[in-house]
Amino acid sequence: MKKDIYILGIESSCDETSVAVVKNGREVLSNVIASQIDIHRLYGGVVPEIASRNHVKNIDVVLQESLQQAGKTLEDIDAIAVTYGAGLLGALIVGVSFAKSLSYATGKPLLAINHIQGHIAANYIAHPTLKPPFMCLLVSGGHTALLHVKDYHTREKIGSTTDDSVGECFDKVARECGLCYPGGPEVEKQAKMGTACITFVKKPHEKRKDFNFSYSGLKTAVINYIHNAKQRNEAISVPDICASFQKEALEQLVFKAVQACVKYNEKTLIIAGGVSANQTLRSMCEKAAKPYGIHVYYPPLKLCTDNAAMIASQGYYSFIHGKDIADITLTPSSTIPLE
Ligand code: KG4
Ligand code: ZN
């Protein structure tokens, strides 16, 4: 009988300290997340040094809790998978150093996982029969891209943002509207109460023939709209601004994602990264993809934003395919190319 494989995942690339135990890449036995959102909210965004200090404070407690919830000990673990980038360098150093020490002390193999691969793998957990190849719309705080995922380790970049990421743009618009950090979920909440009655930038994506995105024009248009209204002492409707901004921000994602599936003849589109939590993005994608017979997958809310289960899931495929093998010399990377 085939032996079950248990991977311990460790994630500390931004403001969530997370440790998970995942069985055979798809079954989550534990996924403990110590979120620092309440701390960083006081500053309106993530403060890297504070994030690192809190990872140091939390990581061992999170490991113990994760093993206990999974009903496992380090002895039962086959390999340790850690996010080595991309992310905040100080924050990554905490997770990577911790994983290296655990690997050294226990003699268990160490796997260096790309955070983006982790976001993609969140979909493997959510959809047990999902396998590459597929098209991936990657929408996180750091990235906005279309990736043609060929197998569990290879992907081709079809297009990406030429300036800001969509998540960054949500956060910036939220801040201008006086909403708290993290901005994406707050903008989504406001948008539900408003009407998309303002045009900021007229469908710029329809003019472009490539699969790249652009968000700086939209961001500047929203900021100018708010500043001009304030200078003229005119009232603004935050729900209407959010609904209008969200519609324009998501339209280019959906339009390009479906076009990419058609061009590359892919019938499976997955959404990965923090912005995949957005309900309107999900329903817009499903609606636009349906006429082409394209099936859309996305993770449940808990797996959309940063967590260690997704790192352990990707770690399983790295382990069984002999990829991403690391050792005590592993150093974190604040940036990693998308392909
Ligand atoms: O993937 P993630 O957790 O971190 C990175 O790897 O970057 O993504 C965080 C981003 C933030 O910009 C956050 O505002 C955005 O995801 N986000 C959302 C929603 N939930 C999180 N954006 C739009 N709508 C949401 N519901
Ligand atoms: Zn992330």
Side-chain angles (χ1 to χ4, degrees), residues 17-311:
T17 319
S18 181
V19 180
V21 179
V22 172
K23 179 179 165 185
N24 298 331
R26 305 263 176 168
E27 194 184 326
V28 180
L29 303 188
S30 66
N31 186 22
V32 179
I33 305 171
S35 174
Q36 303 177 21
I37 284 183
D38 291 342
I39 301 168
H40 297 283
R41 189 174 280 140
L42 304 172
Y43 305 94
V46 179
V47 182
E49 173 61 19
I50 295 178
S52 309
R53 282 188 222 164
N54 280 284
H55 286 311
V56 171
K57 203 164 111 190
N58 295 336
I59 198 154
D60 191 44
V61 182
V62 174
L63 167 73
Q64 300 310 332
E65 174 74 25
S66 186
L67 287 169
Q68 196 190 3
Q69 279 187 20
K72 299 285 168 204
T73 67
L74 282 172
E75 270 300 291
D76 304 314
I77 300 298
D78 291 281
I80 297 160
V82 63
T83 304
Y84 79 100
L88 301 170
L89 197 60
L92 288 163
I93 286 172
V94 180
V96 168
S97 308
F98 190 75
K100 287 202 292 190
S101 319
L102 273 184
S103 161
Y104 189 72
T106 58
K108 307 278 177 186
L110 180 67
L111 303 160
I113 305 301
N114 178 341
H115 184 74
I116 293 314
Q117 287 278 95
H119 274 302
I120 296 171
N123 281 281
Y124 301 144
I125 297 171
H127 310 288
T129 56
L130 176 70
K131 281 190 205 137
F134 47 70
M135 191 59 70
C136 169
L137 174 64
L138 171 67
V139 278
S140 68
H143 294 285
T144 304
L146 274 164
L147 304 172
H148 193 197
V149 178
K150 309 279 174 77
D151 60 33
Y152 288 102
H153 312 283
T154 326
R155 61 211 170 272
E156 182 193 353
K157 187 176 79 177
I158 305 296
S160 62
T161 181
T162 52
D163 39 59
D164 301 334
S165 77
V166 62
E168 243 178 298
C169 200
F170 266 89
D171 293 337
K172 184 73 192 168
V173 166
R175 198 188 291 203
E176 288 295 324
C177 289
L179 306 171
C180 61
Y181 169 84
E186 296 300 315
V187 169
E188 184 178 16
K189 258 188 239 158
Q190 291 290 324
K192 282 195 180 126
M193 299 183 283
T195 317
C197 53
I198 310 161
T199 302
F200 292 115
V201 185
K202 223 171 162 214
K203 299 192 187 297
H205 52 279
E206 286 185 1
K207 294 188 206 112
R208 300 176 70 137
K209 289 273 170 279
D210 58 22
F211 291 108
N212 290 331
F213 304 96
S214 171
Y215 281 98
S216 69
L218 175 58
K219 182 182 78 181
T220 309
V222 177
I223 294 171
N224 287 346
Y225 176 92
I226 296 171
H227 287 188
N228 288 342
K230 280 187 184 157
Q231 270 168 3
R232 289 197 219 104
N233 261 334
E234 287 169 6
I236 57 162
S237 160
V238 170
D240 286 353
I241 292 172
C242 290
S244 309
F245 157 74
Q246 179 174 268
K247 180 169 176 279
E248 287 186 29
L250 301 183
E251 264 171 359
Q252 47 170 312
L253 297 174
V254 175
F255 179 82
K256 298 277 178 192
V258 172
Q259 297 275 309
C261 289
V262 172
K263 178 163 178 207
Y264 289 84
N265 201 20
E266 276 301 346
K267 293 287 182 207
T268 303
L269 170 66
I270 71 144
I271 322 177
V275 184
S276 66
N278 190 289
Q279 309 282 338
T280 309
L281 172 63
R282 295 165 170 209
S283 55
M284 279 169 72
C285 267
E286 281 169 334
K287 197 169 160 213
K290 204 171 171 202
Y292 299 93
I294 300 163
H295 196 98
V296 182
Y297 294 87
Y298 40 78
L301 287 184
K302 196 171 179 231
L303 296 175
C304 287
T305 43
D306 296 345
N307 67 88
M310 67 186 197
I311 303 303

